[in-house]
Amino acid sequence: MNNTVICPGSFDPVTLGHIDIIKRASKMFDKVIVAVLVNMSKTPSFSTEERIAFLKETLGDLDNIEIVGFSGLLADYARERGAKAVVKGLRAMSDFEYEFQMALTNKKLNPELDTVFLTSDSQYMYLSSSMVKQVASLGGDISSFVPASIHAQVYERLKTGTRKELLK
Ligand code: PNS
């Protein structure tokens, strides 16, 4: 049976909440493709290569996880890769409407593709990449938000505000 799933996201940057969902998915399914969105509508703080490298630094030791960049429609990419489901984390109810909309759109575009929601661990319910960016850009401690191996790199980039949107 094909038990390949996709965990898609911007991962700008990856948080401990994302890592928790991906690791749990890797225990439930044979293969997890972590698909990093390349063509983001908003300029990301980290390049595609950086976002992929951050994920690889943290998840590199798990052999049923593949980390790749993707562009275009997720529904098409999932079909191309033979994935049977999208796996997403759900934090609070506030995530639900947007996630439900995406799940139904993907199902319409690719009827073979289901979406599986995993409940976020309670310690990560509040966590988001945008919150990490805001805290780091204001000099706050992000050590309990992002993997230890990438603290310094994330902090350095956001603190120095080398990208446009950090100066807003
Ligand atoms: O981490 P995010 O920003 O919540 O991830 C959003 C993502 C990458 C899952 C979503 O934007 C996406 O799938 N983009 C690809 C374009 C697409 O397929 N759009 C139509 C379905 S919403």
Side-chain angles (χ1 to χ4, degrees), residues 116-135:
V116 174
F117 292 113
L118 297 184
T119 312
S120 173
D121 188 289
S122 59
Q123 62 177 318
Y124 304 129
M125 291 288 277
Y126 63 92
L127 193 52
S128 68
S129 297
S130 43
M131 203 53 77
V132 168
K133 290 196 263 194
Q134 192 175 110
V135 172

Side-chain angles (χ1 to χ4, degrees), residues 8-10 37 70 72-74 88 102 105-106:
S10 317
L37 184 65
F70 86 102
L73 287 172
L74 179 63
K88 298 285 309 255
M102 282 202 283
T105 306
N106 286 331

Side-chain angles (χ1 to χ4, degrees), residues 31-123:
K31 177 165 180 175
V32 177
I33 300 169
V34 179
V36 179
L37 184 65
V38 172
N39 54 335
M40 285 172 63
S41 51
K42 237 178 38 172
T43 310
S45 300
F46 298 92
S47 67
T48 306
E49 293 72 25
E50 286 171 321
R51 288 180 281 136
I52 289 176
F54 289 164
L55 281 153
K56 284 189 173 162
E57 278 174 46
T58 315
L59 297 164
D61 52 340
L62 293 168
D63 58 12
N64 68 337
I65 295 182
E66 179 186 345
I67 299 160
V68 289
F70 86 102
S71 53
L73 287 172
L74 179 63
D76 290 343
Y77 185 66
R79 187 185 289 112
E80 218 175 90
R81 298 299 313 269
K84 69 172 187 184
V86 173
V87 174
K88 298 285 309 255
L90 262 194
R91 290 166 298 186
M93 278 306 285
S94 51
D95 276 349
F96 183 77
E97 197 167 337
Y98 178 58
E99 293 295 345
F100 198 65
Q101 199 178 11
M102 282 202 283
L104 292 179
T105 306
N106 286 331
K107 184 85 179 156
K108 191 78 185 168
L109 295 170
N110 175 356
E112 302 298 311
L113 187 64
D114 276 304
T115 298
V116 174
F117 292 113
L118 297 184
T119 312
S120 173
D121 188 289
S122 59
Q123 62 177 318

Side-chain angles (χ1 to χ4, degrees), residues 7 16-29 32 34 58-62 64-65 118:
C7 282
L16 290 174
H18 294 129
I19 297 296
D20 174 60
I21 296 292
I22 295 165
K23 283 188 171 169
R24 283 160 59 198
S26 82
K27 289 183 192 148
M28 298 168 73
F29 301 100
V32 177
V34 179
T58 315
L59 297 164
D61 52 340
L62 293 168
N64 68 337
I65 295 182
L118 297 184

